[in-house]
């Protein structure tokens, strides 16, 4: 199933193995250059965990943690946005922080999960997390002292695949 035009949260899409290996190489090179620990944290979803598995093959410690998963969109997950429909999407966008009519998590719940993980995250420099766009946005906003956005217009575009962000 391709991601284009679909609501993708916990849908476990495969990633081209060459793409995950390239990202793992980039992480390994960055860690080598800055003498960072050889430890990576990922969700169990293949688009994160495959990178961690490559790093583990090269001697890294790979931690899989359910708290790092993308937001759970419930029965919307994997559906086309056209199938979900404009009225439901508009209702979600107007109450982004609390909307749960899809049966999954609200954005506020994602922020709570992210807050919990960050509170117990390793406290050494260079902790590597291979995350998902929603989780990364939540972590970034929390580190900046912001909470969940009220409306969709406050939510930034997704980071590029392989984009490096400093959550420290």
């Amino acid at each position: 199933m391709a991601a284009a035009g679909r609501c993708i949260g916990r849908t476990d899409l495969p990633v081209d193995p060459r793409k995950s290996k390239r990202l793992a190489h980039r992480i390994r090179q960055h860690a080598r250059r800055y003498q960072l620990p050889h430890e990576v944290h990922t969700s169990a979803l293949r688009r994160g965990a495959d990178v961690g598995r490559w790093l583990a093959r090269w001697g890294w410690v790979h931690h899989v943690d359910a708290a790092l998963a993308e937001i759970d969109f419930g029965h919307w997950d994997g559906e086309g946005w056209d199938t979900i429909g404009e009225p439901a999407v508009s209702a979600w966008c107007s109450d982004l922080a609390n909307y749960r009519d899809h049966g999954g998590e609200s954005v506020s719940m994602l922020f709570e999960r992210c807050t919990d993980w960050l509170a117990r995250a390793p406290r050494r420099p260079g902790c590597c997390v291979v995350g998902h766009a929603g989780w990364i946005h939540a972590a970034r906003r929390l580190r900046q002292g912001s909470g969940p956005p009220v409306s969709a217009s406050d939510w930034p575009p997704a980071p590029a695949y392989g984009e490096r962000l400093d959550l420290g």
Side-chain angles (χ1 to χ4, degrees), residues 76 81 84-96 99 150-152:
W76 286 7
W81 288 107
I84 294 165
E86 192 278 327
V89 173
S90 289
W92 173 53
C93 289
S94 67
D95 186 19
L96 191 67
Y99 186 90
V150 175
S151 73

Side-chain angles (χ1 to χ4, degrees), residues 111-133:
F111 271 67
E112 289 170 19
R113 184 163 45 86
C114 188
T115 298
D116 291 344
W117 191 87
L118 290 169
R120 63 181 170 79
R123 294 287 177 235
R124 57 189 170 276
C127 175
C128 180
V129 178
V130 177
H132 305 280

Side-chain angles (χ1 to χ4, degrees), residues 92-97 107 111 133-134 137-138 140-142 144 146-158:
W92 173 53
C93 289
S94 67
D95 186 19
L96 191 67
V107 170
F111 271 67
H137 286 318
R140 183 188 292 159
R141 284 182 66 98
L142 288 164
Q144 295 168 348
S146 301
V150 175
S151 73
S153 62
D154 298 326
W155 197 255

